[in-house]
Amino acid sequence: MHYVLEGGGDALSEAGASLTVQSTPGDTSGFGGAAAVIEAAPYRQKRVRLSGMISTKDVAGSAGLWLRADAASGSVSFANSQRTPVSGNADAQLREIEIYVPAHADKLLVGPLLVGKGRMTVRALRLVVAPASPDDEVPPTRIVDEAVRLIRAHALNAERIEWHEEQADIARQMEQVHTAEAAYAVIGQVLAKLGDRHSGLLPPRDFQRFSSEGKPSFTPVVEVRERVGIVSVPAFSGTEKTAAAAFANELAGLIAARAGQASCGWVVDLRGNRGGSMWPMLSGLYPLLGHATPGYFRDRDGRQNAWKLASPGVSIPDLSAAPVVVVTGGKTASSGEAVAIAFRGRPKARSVG
């Protein structure tokens, strides 16, 4: 596939650059973009942020930004926005990416990226110095060594990894690792080898964002059909206490408001619940779960810690003896599965899906 680039401007200016990338008719595979080359010297040992407002038209793949630092040896730091792609027909979607620029970097490359067919426009494309991250000054080898120590000490499937060979492989990779971001990629590969399909890594900035926000994947819905209450439970992302409590109160309040009409029982619908923080979801379902311990965490040595639920801050009926059917699906995952587990062993509860 071929692409056409239009526009101009300066990514280092206050106004930024404005660029459009558009596919031409033909093969729908491939990608196209642009790269502005910037001298790295003013940004060495600093964190830089590339941002832009992305609009799309008929984008079948994805549109985003990319940012790279190069040295004589090749790429030494890289980021793109493909975790949060823009596709279809969208207007003015802000995207931001950051990297730490190592001391030996000699140039930065920045620009838009279009995967597949369609048209993308990025306006106010700017590169600026970003606030330092707590991990910028930590040697990458120290980050990886500490992560490996924790994995070996605590991971449920740690024995699945041949650690002598793994340490040798890590040492070879670390020869090309110069930033915390690259160290996190190495750690991610180790975690993947555990084979538990769940272990992951939240870098400091992602962890800070996760801790400071809280939002459901959709607005919780409770409706009654033929005297059966149907509770659609969204995933809840983030651990910010006020937002988590507000969500739990809303969900519990909706259940309480429909309790008088749901005389035949309840359906808890988790088919669209991909997980996040399970505590607000369980607290919101407190009217149906009641006071009993809903589950436990058990470590690899067999030690158990009971799940302790907080009662929501609203007046709720006791529906812990009402019939409940829990519905799961192919998208139910992580803490969504934990919510399903919480109903196992509850009287008059069944699971399907």
Side-chain angles (χ1 to χ4, degrees):
M1 174 174 285
H2 294 87
Y3 294 84
V4 176
L5 174 67
E6 299 175 343
D10 184 358
L12 300 181
S13 70
E14 187 70 25
S18 180
L19 299 168
T20 295
V21 181
Q22 182 169 353
S23 64
T24 58
D27 182 16
T28 58
S29 63
F31 63 89
V37 181
I38 299 170
E39 170 62 42
Y43 304 101
R44 288 172 183 154
Q45 295 181 288
K46 297 178 182 178
R47 179 165 289 272
V48 295
R49 176 186 299 140
L50 181 68
S51 62
M53 304 297 292
I54 298 176
S55 298
T56 56
K57 181 175 177 56
D58 299 329
V59 170
S62 63
L65 307 177
W66 69 285
L67 169 61
R68 195 176 80 199
D70 283 1
S73 59
S75 173
V76 292
S77 190
F78 175 81
N80 63 36
S81 63
Q82 293 307 299
R83 281 189 177 183
T84 55
V86 183
S87 59
N89 296 289
D91 184 48
Q93 300 292 306
L94 175 64
R95 292 295 183 268
E96 297 179 328
I97 52 177
E98 295 183 8
I99 61 171
Y100 178 74
V101 182
H104 63 298
D106 53 34
K107 61 183 176 182
L108 305 178
L109 293 89
V110 308
L113 179 67
L114 176 62
V115 179
K117 68 177 183 179
R119 173 189 176 97
M120 72 167 290
T121 297
V122 56
R123 295 182 174 85
L125 180 68
R126 297 184 62 211
L127 182 75
V128 299
V129 174
S133 177
D135 53 2
D136 286 341
E137 300 303 323
V138 182
T141 52
R142 180 179 172 187
I143 294 173
V144 173
D145 288 347
E146 178 63 10
V148 169
R149 183 188 70 79
L150 292 171
I151 293 168
R152 296 187 68 170
H154 300 291
L156 183 65
N157 294 339
E159 74 284 351
R160 293 187 178 182
I161 295 177
E162 174 48 63
W163 287 105
H164 179 74
E165 296 179 2
E166 185 65 23
Q167 293 281 185
D169 184 49
I170 290 172
R172 287 191 292 270
Q173 293 184 65
M174 294 305 293
E175 294 176 1
Q176 303 298 321
V177 171
H178 307 285
T179 66
E181 284 90 348
Y184 298 147
V186 174
I187 296 168
Q189 293 174 21
V190 177
L191 291 171
K193 292 178 182 178
L194 294 172
D196 59 23
R197 297 186 296 176
H198 196 272
S199 295
L201 172 72
L202 276 180
R205 284 179 175 269
D206 292 343
F207 178 78
Q208 291 169 357
R209 183 170 58 252
F210 191 77
S211 302
S212 62
E213 66 181 19
K215 55 186 177 182
S217 56
F218 58 84
T219 301
V221 176
V222 179
E223 56 184 328
V224 177
R225 301 179 192 170
E226 299 180 357
R227 295 185 295 166
V228 175
I230 302 173
V231 186
S232 297
V233 184
F236 188 86
S237 177
T239 58
E240 200 281 318
K241 291 183 178 179
T242 301
F247 170 80
N249 293 349
E250 180 183 11
L251 180 56
L254 289 171
I255 294 172
R258 303 291 190 274
Q261 306 167 42
S263 57
C264 289
W266 296 83
V267 171
V268 175
D269 187 353
L270 299 171
R271 288 176 296 173
N273 194 312
R274 294 181 179 272
S277 174
M278 73 184 198
W279 303 116
M281 294 185 275
L282 291 175
S283 181
L285 293 168
Y286 196 97
L288 297 172
L289 287 168
H291 303 289
T293 299
Y296 298 83
F297 290 121
R298 185 168 66 183
D299 65 22
R300 70 183 188 186
D301 296 321
R303 293 184 293 264
Q304 292 189 161
N305 291 308
W307 298 354
K308 297 179 180 179
L309 302 189
S311 176
V314 295
S315 178
I316 56 174
D318 181 4
L319 303 173
S320 58
V324 171
V325 174
V326 179
V327 184
T328 59
K331 295 180 180 179
T332 308
S334 190
S335 61
E337 295 171 294
V339 174
I341 288 171
F343 284 90
R344 293 291 178 94
R346 175 196 180 277
K348 298 183 180 179
R350 296 291 184 270
S351 297
V352 297

